[in-house]
Amino acid sequence: MTTQAIPRSRAQVIALVLVLGGVLTGLDMTIVNVALKHLATEFGAPLATVGWVVTGYTLALAAVIPVTAWAVGRFGARRVYLTAVGVFLLGSVLAGAAWDIGSLIGFRVLQGLGGGMIMPVSMTILARAAAPGELGRAMSTMGLGVLIGPLSGPVLGGWLVDEVSWRWMFFLNLPIGAAVVLLALRLFPPDDALTQRRLDLPGLLMLSPGLALVLYGVTVGGEHGDFTAWTLLAIVTGLALVAGFLVRAKVIRDPLIDLGLFRDRVFAAGVGTLALYASGYFGSMFLMPLYFQLARGESATGAGLLIIPAALGSGLIMQVAGRLVDRFPPGLIVLTGISVGVTGMLAFAAQLAVDGPYWGLLIAVTLIGVGGGGTMMPTMTAATRTLPPERTAAGSAVLGLVSALASATGTAVLSVVLTANLAASAPGAAIQQTYLLVAGLVACALLPALMLPRRQP
């Protein structure tokens, strides 16, 4: 991607194209969740097996992210982005045409391999295209797809399953993806001279399987509400592989992930803030529709509609926060966003055991969305904008990896906690207890956020 100055209007158009790409992967993280029971009936498969339609996608998505920075340097951000979207669309077509549960799971893995690269490469493209004083504005625009996609997935998925066909959950990606490819070919600047850095293959063979094993363990444990010996073995083995990668990365010349990034105080603080907040935020998005279904008797579509205020709140405030982060210290904006998010979660939890009025619940849902929009994208902007151009791809890959791992791990762990609470309490009270844990987890993000700049340079 060229590092020459790009007109402000052109950078905003590029950001809008990247929004469409973010919608692709964002939707597919959650759109299938409401269809699992239907797919089990359709294919005559146990629900535990059908769960791998989601788990396989998540594992593939996380496993491919570590190779992104190397691929961008070797082949160019524009080429890698177009290839990733192409692989994702191929997986979408095949998933929509799946003939049994095994083929559907396999094609979802293919989708994840393409989708895992889209977000970090998007951040790299945008960081290089935007002027230094406009990065927050451009990132806030691109972030619409990242936050709104996952929140809209349950609504759209429920409607497609109920009124059209489950296959259209995947075929829907085709017109969006085709528009992304055509616009990217026309608008994205050509790539700069490419590096000849060799791929750290031993590191890749440790890190990607290690991450996949950790995610497998926490996800399966979350699905069953218990961590068996096998899931614990997977987690321990995965952590050992990741630890081996980290030890090796400190002594070789060109590691798969540049650990030197963490010497940057702002980048390290951004990663810590994002990890804690994303795990709680996306975990809360998992709990919210469950409450409306289990405790209030809403349908899948109805529960999805009731969390739309969170999507609207996050999308609107993200536009404001993105502009503010270019003019004011990001630390102040992020601390405010976290505080609003925690307030919303506590307000939501306070009403669960007593079946609070819907208007009160929706106000709390909106505050949760506002907190997410005012925290995550400003944090990513603050973490990446001080990096030199040659390290932008590596920084974006780390942030994308942290976000994917945190959301998957937070959701899985909260599933285990919720299962235990449901065994001892009514649904409303059980989800309330779990939500209090979520609020505490998100509040912990205040600690690393205190290290983000609170004075404008």
Side-chain angles (χ1 to χ4, degrees):
M1 179 66 64
T2 181
T3 56
Q4 296 178 352
I6 293 176
R8 172 177 170 178
S9 59
R10 180 76 172 274
Q12 282 298 111
V13 172
I14 290 174
L16 289 172
V17 176
L18 296 173
V19 167
L20 291 178
V23 167
L24 282 176
T25 56
L27 276 175
D28 274 65
M29 288 176 65
T30 58
I31 195 171
V32 179
N33 291 349
V34 297
L36 295 181
K37 185 177 179 181
H38 181 87
L39 291 173
T41 303
E42 176 82 11
F43 292 117
L47 196 57
T49 301
V50 175
W52 277 93
V53 174
V54 175
T55 304
Y57 178 83
T58 305
L59 294 180
L61 187 138
V64 77
I65 292 176
V67 80
T68 301
W70 171 83
V72 167
R74 181 67 178 82
F75 302 106
R78 184 173 183 265
R79 293 189 186 94
V80 173
Y81 184 83
L82 289 169
T83 301
V85 173
V87 171
F88 182 87
L89 292 180
L90 176 61
S92 298
V93 173
L94 294 173
W99 54 89
D100 59 24
I101 192 61
S103 63
L104 179 58
I105 293 170
F107 297 143
R108 282 283 285 173
V109 169
L110 182 62
Q111 260 193 313
L113 292 175
M117 284 192 173
I118 290 177
M119 181 57 190
V121 179
S122 296
M123 292 174 62
T124 301
I125 291 171
L126 197 60
R128 294 178 179 180
E134 296 289 332
L135 181 58
R137 177 189 178 99
M139 288 279 280
S140 67
T141 301
M142 188 191 77
L144 288 173
V146 179
L147 285 182
I148 294 177
L151 294 176
S152 304
V155 181
L156 187 57
W159 179 77
L160 288 172
V161 169
D162 291 339
E163 304 296 336
V164 189
S165 167
W166 66 268
R167 297 183 185 275
W168 277 95
M169 293 190 301
F170 306 111
F171 291 149
L172 180 68
N173 294 326
L174 296 181
I176 302 174
V180 170
V181 170
L182 292 175
L183 291 170
L185 286 170
R186 181 177 178 82
L187 296 172
F188 288 6
D191 292 310
D192 270 345
L194 305 175
T195 66
Q196 298 299 317
R197 186 165 67 94
R198 295 178 60 184
L199 175 63
D200 176 21
L201 186 58
L204 179 63
L205 294 177
M206 284 190 286
L207 183 59
S208 288
L211 294 173
L213 284 170
V214 172
L215 273 180
Y216 165 80
V218 297
T219 302
V220 173
E223 289 172 352
H224 294 87
D226 183 30
F227 287 99
T228 65
W230 285 109
T231 55
L232 290 175
L233 178 62
I235 294 172
V236 171
T237 304
L239 290 174
L241 287 171
V242 172
F245 166 81
L246 294 175
V247 171
R248 186 175 185 278
K250 291 181 179 180
V251 298
I252 66 171
R253 180 177 178 181
D254 293 314
L256 194 64
I257 290 180
D258 182 5
L259 299 183
L261 290 166
F262 290 92
R263 298 192 189 101
D264 185 311
R265 178 173 176 267
V266 175
F267 182 81
V271 168
T273 303
L274 183 64
L276 290 168
Y277 197 92
S279 61
Y281 179 79
F282 288 109
S284 75
M285 293 301 107
F286 156 75
L287 293 171
M288 200 179 291
L290 282 180
Y291 167 74
F292 287 120
Q293 292 178 74
L294 295 178
R296 306 300 283 261
E298 298 288 344
S299 65
T301 303
L305 289 171
L306 287 166
I307 66 173
I308 283 181
L312 294 176
S314 65
L316 290 174
I317 204 65
M318 195 186 301
Q319 302 310 301
V320 177
R323 286 156 176 78
L324 292 178
V325 81
D326 289 327
R327 301 174 56 190
F328 298 98
L332 298 179
I333 296 168
V334 172
L335 287 170
T336 303
I338 295 172
S339 300
V340 172
V342 172
T343 300
M345 290 176 184
L346 290 175
F348 190 77
Q351 304 176 69
L352 299 188
V354 296
D355 289 341
Y358 273 86
W359 63 264
L361 292 168
L362 292 181
I363 290 174
V365 167
T366 303
L367 289 176
I368 293 172
V370 167
T375 300
M376 286 190 283
M377 270 302 156
T379 298
M380 292 183 181
T381 303
T384 55
R385 71 179 177 185
T386 59
L387 297 177
E390 66 274 10
R391 305 184 90 175
T392 301
S396 299
V398 170
L399 290 170
L401 181 61
V402 167
S403 180
L405 288 174
S407 60
T409 303
T411 300
V413 172
L414 290 172
S415 297
V416 176
V417 175
L418 178 61
T419 300
N421 288 339
L422 284 171
S425 307
I431 296 175
Q432 181 189 50
Q433 295 164 17
T434 312
Y435 241 102
L436 291 174
L437 175 62
V438 172
L441 183 62
V442 169
C444 289
L446 289 167
L447 297 177
L450 289 171
M451 299 175 62
L452 294 173
R454 282 178 283 163
R455 292 182 180 180
Q456 192 73 347

